[in-house]
Amino acid sequence: MGHRVLVVDDDATVSDVVRRYLEQAGCEVRLAADGADGLAAIAAQCPDLVVLDLMMPGIDGLEVCRRIRRQLPGLPVIMLTALGEEADRVLGLEVGADDYVTKPFSPRELVLRIQSVLRRTGGQAVNPGPAAMLREADLSVDTARRVAERDGAPLALTGREFDLLVFLMRHPGRAWTRSDLLDKVWGWQFGDQSTVTVHVRRLREKIEHDPAEPVRIRTVWGVGYSYEPLVDGHRR
């Protein structure tokens, strides 16, 4: 893979196991024992991805993720959370984590999740098509450069938010279940469907004129979501 991965976890045993598996996969790995060290490591040499433990002394994982999103919105973050703590997982997604893995976890599963995120954020668009540029009303998306703009202003999208937007824009008018979107965008055959719900909510906050009354990403009751393109600022 040849990617730089920063692992931020106060459990030295977990960090060492993750490091060994990632190095076997060809990654360059750096370890940080707490949130402050993690932020310093990111400032010194920005990694390609951060594996971030939720519960740490001092600056916890949620605050670290918030700071990353303010400064580096496109930097992929995978959160490590406690098994069964659904509220913690949802909160991690709310502050901008691209993905999460619950403890105890299989190191091989974590490596696969990391590889999946890096493939997508490394320039491989979801379901690549002939059009590198997607345009709709005030929204434009350059899938090759992984840049999205609204009214000419850059949108601070996470990697998963970008992938979700591209997928929806390329399939307008079709209703997708949360399970469909987990499969098509995340590459998960099974998973927590609240992941999709949270990402849709965050994406609406960035592309809708009124996120409380969304007109682009429409809720299809009993099914899931559909993307409805706008013409001259209005739904078709």
Side-chain angles (χ1 to χ4, degrees):
M1 290 166 58
H3 291 98
R4 298 190 305 272
V5 177
L6 173 65
V7 179
V8 187
D9 196 316
D10 62 324
D11 188 326
T13 300
V14 171
S15 293
D16 186 60
V17 170
V18 171
R19 176 185 58 78
R20 286 189 285 110
Y21 272 82
L22 285 172
E23 287 179 346
Q24 289 173 9
C27 291
E28 176 186 335
V29 183
R30 184 171 181 178
L31 304 180
D34 55 37
D37 285 347
L39 291 169
I42 292 169
Q45 182 183 42
C46 185
D48 298 308
L49 181 143
V50 177
V51 177
L52 181 61
D53 187 34
L54 177 65
M55 300 299 294
M56 292 184 293
I59 305 175
D60 65 15
L62 292 175
E63 179 58 26
V64 172
C65 192
R66 288 189 187 97
R67 297 188 189 186
I68 289 173
R69 285 294 164 252
R70 286 197 294 266
Q71 300 172 16
L72 299 163
L75 175 60
V77 175
I78 294 182
M79 192 81 78
L80 301 180
T81 68
L83 180 63
E85 296 297 331
E86 181 178 354
D88 288 340
R89 296 199 300 272
V90 171
L91 190 54
L93 294 170
E94 289 279 12
V95 299
D98 294 275
D99 203 345
Y100 68 86
V101 175
T102 55
K103 291 182 176 181
F105 58 85
S106 161
R108 288 188 179 88
E109 177 192 356
L110 177 59
V111 171
L112 290 173
R113 293 286 185 92
I114 289 170
Q115 290 173 330
S116 173
V117 172
L118 286 172
R119 276 196 301 270
R120 294 180 184 277
T121 58
Q124 295 186 16
V126 179
N127 291 337
M133 287 295 301
L134 301 174
R135 292 188 175 88
E136 179 246 315
D138 61 349
L139 195 60
S140 64
V141 180
D142 185 334
T143 62
R145 295 174 52 233
R146 294 186 65 85
V147 173
E149 296 181 344
R150 182 178 163 198
D151 280 330
L155 291 173
L157 302 180
T158 69
R160 291 295 192 193
E161 290 167 359
F162 185 91
D163 293 339
L164 179 59
L165 176 60
V166 169
F167 181 82
L168 291 173
M169 289 183 72
R170 282 184 167 156
H171 300 87
R174 174 172 173 176
W176 297 94
T177 67
R178 292 170 179 82
S179 178
D180 288 335
L181 293 172
L182 274 177
D183 180 26
K184 300 295 186 181
V185 179
W186 277 259
W188 299 357
Q189 298 299 315
F190 305 96
D192 183 356
Q193 295 187 10
S194 64
T195 300
V196 176
T197 305
V198 172
H199 277 77
V200 167
R201 181 163 61 245
R202 287 176 54 85
L203 190 54
R204 280 171 168 167
E205 291 171 355
K206 297 174 182 180
I207 69 169
E208 299 281 5
H209 290 278
D210 181 2
E213 297 289 340
V215 295
R216 277 187 162 119
I217 304 179
R218 185 170 62 91
T219 298
V220 182
W221 297 108
V223 182
Y225 304 101
S226 70
Y227 190 86
E228 303 296 335
L230 306 182
V231 175
D232 296 328
H234 301 283
R235 183 183 292 175
R236 288 179 178 173

